[in-house]
Amino acid sequence: MAVASADIGPREDYITVAGCRTYVQRAGKGTPVLYLHGANGGGRWLPFMERLAADHEVIAPEHPGFGRSDTPDWFDNIHDVAYFYLDLIDALGLKGVHLVGSSLGGWVACEMAVRSTARLASLALIGSAGLHLKGVARPDTFMWTPEEAARGLFHDQALAEKMLAAAPSDDELERQMKNRFATARLAWAPRFYDPHLHKWLHRIDVPTVVFWGAQDQLVPAVYAERFGELIPKATVHYFDACGHLPQVEQPAAFAEALATFVRRAA
Amino acid sequence: MRFFFFHLMPYAPLDLDYDKTHKSAWVTLPNSYYDPKLGADLYNRYLDELEYADELGFEGISVNEHHQTAYGLMPAPNVFAGMLARRVKQAKICILGRALPVLSNPLTVAEEFAVLDNVTRGRIITGFVRGIGAEYHSMAVNPAESHARFHEAHDLIVQAWTRPGPFAYEGKYYHFPYVNIWPRPYQTPHPAIWVPSQGSRETIEFAAARERKYVYLQTATPAEMLFKYMRAYREAALRQDYEASADQLGWSVKIYVAETDEIARREAKPHVEAFVNKFLRMPVEMLLPPGYSSIESMKGVIAAKKTITGGARTIDQLLEQGTFICGSPATVRARLEEYQHKGGFNIVMAGLHFGTLPAELTRKNMEMFAREVMPHLKDRVPEGYRPIAAE
């Protein structure tokens, strides 16, 4: 989907936390940036990660249940994943973490942050799931064909065409299937939200930015406003002419915006 | 061979051109396509057909469960079993089955079946299924929990039927401080449990387990696959040191009998093709939500591309595959003999209504099947037949 930078690239590693052997990409040195991927899975080293790795240690795991990581017995709901990542932060001895989460990963990040911000320096959400606004229509992504899924992600349909033209390997196909299974387990019902999360977002006391593609078809931009209202120190930053994944669709502008936010939050 | 009559109760007056604007007859087909006046007549006609099957001498009559679809209009099959319970005098009433994982409270299934068992004085056969994938969309139940909920709900129900109450049930998904159903079931230790399935290995192993010996009912399958699944059940039994009886194996198949092969084919064609191409139509995303089947089976489906989501099928393809039996009484008898010989099953769940088949043809089919097929085959058993062994 996104093109990995050929310059340096991350180290690949497996670490075991809470009994879950977890695939992790890491690069750089400095205050840590932990990136939580969305429902389509991780394992892709994105341009903004490369950019941040110049000043930070960037850590990009694949969630329990996803991709190359184990599916542990305890993998039942989004709260399990949130506690797992709080454990992972402890296990790696990270402090002052800049937590970045996209879509499903944004939801996990919120669930972590309402539980504890003790190890967090800041929070960046990208088209985050986790909330529900009554009466705001959202597509049923579990009903989407692969083509609809590709088209629905992007404002620029050339990116969707490129994604559809790429023939995935057998391993990649199997990971995609695994990612869909894991997503269903976490997000089938209620559909991509936790009905109790909104009551506790006020507990998030670190600087927060809510990034959103103004043309996001999966989670309409009105959700950005709601996150902005519910999280005390949040600002909302829209990307124009952009769909659900600003980090992929507008990599340079996104990397710049995130780097600026992280620098100010430090 | 033991004969049961199966009704699916599709919404036969469906505008079959719906597929010009909608993807499926399931989940999202607007219910404005349903006309209650036509539906009222249809329900009464279908219930009459089930009662008529009793008169014609079928061993049992069967209903099932589907949600939010024109494919089958029985969202609550025990309502239908209840309507039949006091009118049907001889036949067993089979509820095949309740879709356990999509129900919010499976203890009510134990209760409802127990009531039916009492009222009929032990003339019900129960069935437990997971429901097809579309049901998980319709009922907003997590498909990734399907297998686990099925097993837990099953255990809860069997315990509710057999353990003296009150007792506590402590599962992962279901918790009851007091399991203590009134009434208790009429049959001892409990009503028969049948397991209809499309052939998942896990389900076959579950049904064949020595402590269960549930009747395994293969649904909607080409003949070659049927033989494979029947073999898999027998092998699963052998691994547990017992030989499965042919009475543990059944085939649910659509059948149409008429005066000659030519008449049968002509009369059945539009109705069976409507069944497979219109009522059964659904995209793979609807049929197989993530987690409903294992990754291995999903890969199989995607590789084979031979799902019910494939292109339009003709009656000739269905006959060639053996997913449909159609012809003169002699042809239908010969087919059933051949399939029993190869498959080793003793139970035939005959779907004598399908798709848009009108009332007159349904009655004619039922009569010809009951009079010219059943009597010839009722004493026929597979080679080496033995009854189900008691433990």
Side-chain angles (χ1 to χ4, degrees), chain B residues 22-289:
Chain B
H22 299 284
K23 283 183 175 178
S24 175
W26 294 71
V27 189
T28 53
L29 181 67
N31 61 6
S32 49
Y33 277 84
Y34 179 83
D35 179 336
K37 290 209 171 60
L38 298 177
D41 290 344
L42 198 65
Y43 272 125
N44 283 288
R45 172 196 145 191
Y46 286 164
L47 286 162
D48 288 345
E49 287 167 1
L50 282 155
E51 290 175 20
Y52 190 42
D54 177 35
E55 288 173 39
L56 290 171
F58 286 82
E59 182 177 336
I61 57 173
S62 310
V63 296
N64 82 343
E65 172 174 342
H66 288 296
H67 295 275
Q68 309 206 104
T69 171
Y71 174 86
L73 294 176
M74 292 181 282
N78 286 344
V79 169
F80 295 85
M83 289 187 277
L84 295 165
R86 298 254 306 158
R87 291 179 60 92
V88 168
K89 300 303 181 197
Q90 296 296 326
K92 294 167 187 159
I93 298 171
C94 316
I95 304 98
L96 303 175
R98 299 290 342 245
L100 300 183
V102 307
L103 305 171
S104 53
N105 189 338
L107 191 56
T108 60
V109 174
E111 293 176 323
E112 289 170 17
F113 278 146
V115 170
L116 290 166
D117 201 34
N118 277 261
V119 171
T120 60
R121 295 191 171 83
R123 233 168 355 96
I124 66 161
I125 291 172
T126 70
F128 295 157
V129 296
R130 293 198 295 129
I132 75 156
E135 251 91 55
Y136 291 78
H137 290 282
S138 279
M139 302 304 277
V141 169
N142 197 327
E145 295 175 350
S146 171
H147 276 294
R149 282 183 182 271
F150 177 83
H151 288 295
E152 204 177 305
H154 161 272
D155 292 350
L156 166 66
I157 292 166
V158 172
Q159 286 183 34
W161 282 344
T162 54
R163 280 179 64 182
F167 63 88
Y169 184 85
E170 296 156 330
K172 177 171 176 179
Y173 299 99
Y174 309 111
H175 307 261
F176 292 91
Y178 310 107
V179 178
N180 189 28
I181 60 165
W182 288 69
R184 292 193 292 122
Y186 185 88
Q187 298 179 69
T188 307
H190 58 73
I193 298 171
W194 290 15
V195 178
S197 168
Q198 293 179 44
S200 91
R201 169 195 286 261
E202 193 172 358
T203 304
I204 291 172
E205 304 256 337
F206 168 81
R210 191 185 182 100
E211 68 275 21
R212 288 188 276 270
K213 293 186 180 166
Y214 293 161
V215 170
Y216 176 76
L217 191 65
Q218 181 62 41
T219 62
T221 310
E224 286 306 319
M225 299 301 285
L226 167 78
F227 306 147
K228 191 184 111 181
Y229 295 135
M230 301 277 107
R231 221 166 28 242
Y233 187 105
R234 281 191 292 271
E235 285 165 7
L238 284 175
R239 280 197 297 279
Q240 306 194 43
D241 291 326
Y242 81 94
E243 281 194 43
S245 163
D247 283 325
Q248 283 167 260
L249 296 169
W251 188 22
S252 180
V253 59
K254 308 226 172 294
I255 301 174
Y256 191 77
V257 200
E259 295 74 2
T260 66
D261 286 354
E262 201 276 324
I263 295 173
R265 189 184 171 285
R266 191 180 66 232
E267 287 179 345
K269 179 178 164 64
H271 309 298
V272 76
E273 289 180 359
F275 170 74
V276 292
N277 297 324
K278 304 290 183 166
F279 289 94
L280 203 49
R281 175 188 175 84
M282 70 179 86
V284 69
E285 289 75 22
M286 204 181 265
L287 177 68
L288 291 172

Side-chain angles (χ1 to χ4, degrees), chain A residues 73 75-76 140 142-146 148 174 177-178 180-182 184-189 191, chain B residues 23 27 136-137 140-145 172-173 285-286 289-291 293-295 298-299 302:
Chain A
D73 288 342
F75 181 70
D76 285 317
D140 182 356
F142 287 115
M143 275 302 196
W144 274 357
T145 63
E148 287 168 333
E174 186 154 342
M177 220 176 279
K178 186 174 173 185
R180 281 176 63 79
F181 277 37
R185 192 167 279 281
L186 300 176
W188 186 272
R191 193 57 60 86
Chain B
K23 283 183 175 178
V27 189
Y136 291 78
H137 290 282
V141 169
N142 197 327
E145 295 175 350
K172 177 171 176 179
Y173 299 99
E285 289 75 22
M286 204 181 265
S293 301
S294 69
I295 287 186
M298 290 282 285
K299 274 168 34 185
I302 286 163

Side-chain angles (χ1 to χ4, degrees), chain A residues 77-89:
Chain A
N77 59 50
I78 203 80
H79 306 148
D80 296 322
V81 184
Y83 286 116
F84 163 84
Y85 277 118
L86 290 169
D87 272 6
L88 179 139
I89 287 174

